[in-house]
Amino acid sequence: MSHSEPIEKNCVGPDAEYVKLISSDQKEFLVKRTHAETYSKTIKQILSGPTNCSEGETNQIEFSQISSKVLEIICNYIEYKAQCEIIMEKGEEIPEFDIPLEEATDVMMAASFLQC
Amino acid sequence: MHLHFERNLNAKCDCSILSLTWMGKVPDELPEDEGWKLSRTNYYQEGWLAAGNVRGIVGVTFTTSHWRKNSEFPLRTNYNLRGHRSEIILVKWNEPYQKLASCDSSGIIFVWIKYDGRWSIELINDRNTPVTHFSWSHDGRMALICYQDGFVLVGSVAGQRYWSSMLSLESTITCGLWTPDDQQVYFGTTSGRLIVMDVHGAMVSQIQLCQDFGPIVSMAWSCEKFKMEENESDTTSPYHNRGFVLAVCFKNGNILLMKSFDDVSPIQLQTGLLGVCIEWSNSRQLLAVAGTKASTVPSDSQTNVLQFYSDNGVLIHSTAIPYRQSNVTALTWGHNDKRLFIATGCQMHIAWVSTRIASLQMLSGLKTHMQLKSESQVPALPLPPRIRVFLSNLFAQTIRVSECYLPEINQMRQFVSRPPSKNFRLYCTMIRHDEDTNLTAGTCYTLYLEFLGGLVPLLKGKRTSKIKPEFVIFDPQVEETELLDVTKLRLNDVSPNGRLTSDSSDSDMDDGCASPRVQMRQRRCRRAHEKRDLVEIDDLTYVDILPEYARLVQVTSNIWGTKFKVHGLAKSLPENLGHITYKTSLLHLQPRQMTLVMTELGDDVVLGPDPNFNPHLFSEDEDEAASEVDQRSLPLTDLALPIAPMTPRPAGESRRLQQQSSRSSRPSTKATENSASLQRAPSSLPPLCGGEPQTPKHTVAPREDLPSEPSTSMRVKSSIKVASQLDEAKEQSRTKRREKQACSHKQAVSSLCKEEEAAAAAAVAAGAVTAPGRGPTVVNPSTYSILLDPMVRSCSVGYLDLVDLTLNSHGPLGDPADAPPKRLVLVHKKEQPKPKLSNCGKSKSFDSSEIFPSAERKKQARGNANMTFQKSQVTRKPVQKKEVEQTENKDLKAEDHVFVNQNDGLASSATEHNNHTSRLPHSSPASPALGKKKRNQSPLRSFALDCRRHLLNSPLLSRRVWKNRNTNESSDDEVACPNEEVINGRNFRDLETFQKAQLRQKLRKGKNDPPSVPAAARHREFVMHNKAPMWNENSQVYQLDFGGRVTQESAKNFQIEFRGKQVMQFGRIDGNAYTLDFQYPFSALQAFAVALANVTQRLK
């Protein structure tokens, strides 16, 4: 995930390209909003909720239960899945997505929550 | 797409699997006129995987893609189909017709069809030429067979030949297949040529494909294997060849994807694999390709790779098959492309395939899953319940023959020492290994579970005595602490030996096992303990990996090999597991008769030593007595010793109390009081016992403890009396009356005995030893004696037999110190007194009189019972049940007249049977195990029969007797079995007592709240008998229906019945191989013990 300035701007407002996910240890991750919404039903529900994404506000979701390590894996997965779509269209071999063993159960719980 | 391999350590065969095929499971019900109409998604959730292996066995095994165990299993989940005599190169389901074709290397093709729960061969095709390929058309109506010599044949599914042609080629046809529209057939040859013929056998074209690719190995069209939808059958539909892709696989690992045979620009795939197997998924999007990575460096381990290609030739996915010790030998899709079955030698791999990208939850779940050793660890994880469920779902097994079928390696002991859960039956093979024992004398036997066409070793037994047929059964489970070493048995070391040569499969199987075993054995001896690798248990499948250093069970025998005891040696088992008694048979002319007393093994079984059980003590003498005098005197001594010292009541007080209370709870005390003490005696019997209608003689003889002498003599006298009475009074009416008298007289005697016996039983705290069936049974001998004076003696012979049985059954159980072992001893079949040498002819006829077509007998008995019950207005459940059959029975009764005098003999068993069936909840083995059709076996017999017919030939007589007995039974029930709706046999003195009893019963029924079963019923025994074979007049052999599981005639074949149902069968399938199928109440240990006891030659 890139943390550069221009992207930061893009997560403000209802039409923002990115969404900011904040882990329990206050690390911030930016993912493309379309990807996040496509590959996580939970994120989509949160973002489509009434309280979020009003004008001038940053699109951010805080996950008080998800550590930065896990959240990073989730963000990676979202991007991976987006990549896979492209690869599949091309008809190429799909790479494996690897999850570090020590995080597996935590990722599983988070993924279960996020429905991704 | 995503794929992962299921962790299924048990999915393996004991020899190389050479071919796989899968089809969806259709409901067991018969299809309606139009056939099955099933939704594809549901239909493909369950299926049958057929596997052909090098031993010539076709395994048909149930598979399911349900995640959880909630799915219902078919009654039988695995079939090992025997029949081929050389290795099976090909198995192919015909899904539309639900048939299975299997081809072996000798060229024999069987078409199997399932009927009535069993698979049998419907068609045999043998051209004496090896078959290279076999293919069903997509509509299932036609079969294409390619022979090595260039002969090709198209026939119908029913076996009719449409056309055949001898193609004179310089090369061999290696494969043949139908085009998707079934209008043409394609052949591939070793020279890389593609031959096209039309459906009528006319040559269409021959194309030389890339010459440098070498031989064509296989071909596949990217269409569904079978056109299951009717409307798609015409050629204009998508089933026209257009749009489908033909994959032609060459030996060098290259694959050509062609749109048709004349495709000028086929797509060429270089898989880089050797020994490639291919198959298109049903959705025709994925070509699964599995093979071994071609490597320039010779190494002992290969890398097996699985690849998936799209129909335009793009490699979509590639993964290594987690097994290196053998090449990929077969591959097939299943469950509507959700599963892929891959065989690498003996090992089966099951891939879960999804065309979508796996969710993160799935990926992380799998990761976690891989770290867990077993599903039992899941609940311990700190996870929310939903995720735990998800995680444990990943442990779901596709080949899940049933929850209880295949043992986990670390639960072997538990598995073999518990009966399979209700209704599940274990299908096993037992093999004798003579030659392999290089170290110790003694023949080894191994019991294997049949699974996936192979055999999974369960138990190993070894003969321990050269003189007596005694065995020890070893503990199949190695304690973790004893695991010192890892010995990995490579299965592929073994499989070459497992190949069949020429003769039958089982002996070869043996050979196959043998050679690696010898080495193994030696190695093992050195190492003393062999560890089974818990992760990679390759060795599970092989014969001698079963450890031999811990003894679990001992089978002891008397010197004659007629009596056996099964002695639990391990702490986890009760000491007394059961015993087996064979009736001696003169010159083995008659089918074997055996009585089993089996301890029920459950989790609550009473463990530990049983002081009263002596595995080496057999009452040997009974059958030996040469003279009749001896016979008579023997029982007395025999009996007196063990039982006499026991004083009647005191010890059994508690039981008594129970009974008393239960009795007093009934409003019918009046009746009880009125009835003579004789009648009360029975009532003192423990409730559970419900009665062990032992055989007539059995029941009575052994139990007379204290006054054993007087009572016996009385009994003998009485029977003699009856005999003489009958002799002199030949008029039917009189006979009837007398008979009745005799009965009541008998009953008096017997109930006397009973009282004592009950006391004894109570004293031993064995509980439930009863003799409800006794009254009737006692009558039995007397009726015999009626027939022929000398029969009295045969009665005493019978007693002798009995003694032994009862002693045995008492001994083990009766330990007052033991928790309150409730013992349920039930006998179905009456034992037939053995003919002595001296009065052979008579006893023979005597036997024959007892032997009666069992069905008939049963029915008669029921009919009788019904009559009685109706009369007394008994409307308890069991009776109602019977009433259904009643009309039928009555019809059958007409036949009674023919067999009148037999009826008498039969009566006892019939009533016994009655008892049993009525005593439903508590194991009453309703064994109709009566000699069927034995009567006419010899002229001698029929003569004797005739004699008797003349003697006593009133149907009324027999009926009367029955009635008597039946009434007794019903009243007994009320007295003795407060806790269930049961009708027991009991003696009544006369009609009055009977009526009173009936009254009581009615009153009690009004209460309709039976006292509950004592909770402590922990130790139960069941008495069972073998089913008497039917005499086939035409072929002059005894016959039993083994459901196709037994292929050789043998006197050792038998079936055991329990509660009217066959629960165990054993039969020879080869010189040293037997099938052994069993279900509750047999545990594998007990069944194996019985089989071991049965395989040896006995002296008498």
Side-chain angles (χ1 to χ4, degrees), chain A residues 73-74 77 80-81 84-85 88 91-94 96-101 104-105 107-109 111-113 116, chain B residues 1 314-318 355 357-361 363-365 367-368 371 381-384 386-387 390-391:
Chain A
I73 292 166
I74 287 166
Y77 176 78
Y80 161 79
K81 206 153 176 185
C84 287
E85 298 286 319
M88 280 171 81
E92 288 170 11
E93 191 177 348
I94 291 159
E96 296 275 339
F97 183 80
D98 193 49
I99 298 165
L101 186 59
T105 49
V107 171
M108 184 168 50
M109 281 195 284
S112 167
F113 167 70
C116 68
Chain B
M1 67 168 288
V314 176
L315 177 68
I316 290 171
H317 192 81
S318 171
T355 48
I357 293 154
S359 70
L360 185 59
Q361 188 180 359
L363 291 171
S364 51
K367 198 90 183 181
T368 314
Q371 293 310 115
L381 295 174
L383 294 172
R386 189 163 53 96
I387 295 178
F390 166 77
L391 205 51

Side-chain angles (χ1 to χ4, degrees), chain B residues 898-899 901-902 935 945-953:
Chain B
V898 188
F899 307 115
N901 50 1
Q902 277 137 350
R935 295 172 292 122
L945 197 76
D946 285 343
C947 290
R948 259 174 296 140
R949 242 177 237 164
H950 291 300
L951 266 175
L952 297 176
N953 135 31

Side-chain angles (χ1 to χ4, degrees), chain B residues 21-28 36 38-50 60-64 93-99 114 119 225-226 228 282 333-336 341:
Chain B
T21 176
W22 186 91
M23 81 166 177
K25 176 182 175 290
V26 294
D28 289 328
W36 289 280
L38 302 160
S39 120
R40 176 149 277 174
T41 28
N42 294 331
Y43 170 45
Y44 283 126
Q45 301 233 327
E46 296 176 345
W48 294 102
L49 178 69
V60 176
T61 307
F62 176 74
T63 64
T64 174
W93 284 115
N94 182 340
E95 201 166 340
Y97 288 87
Q98 296 285 307
K99 293 178 181 183
K114 192 181 187 185
W119 284 97
K225 275 179 236 170
F226 292 101
M228 300 304 284
N282 243 3
W333 286 92
H335 295 287
N336 210 17
F341 300 94

Side-chain angles (χ1 to χ4, degrees), chain B residues 131-163:
Chain B
V131 171
T132 54
H133 203 247
F134 178 98
S135 174
W136 294 108
S137 66
H138 297 279
D139 59 9
R141 291 192 185 123
M142 289 177 288
L144 169 66
I145 306 170
C146 310
Y147 289 94
Q148 203 163 42
D149 58 1
F151 189 80
V152 293
L153 183 155
V154 169
S156 76
V157 66
Q160 185 192 349
R161 179 185 295 199
Y162 289 151
W163 59 267

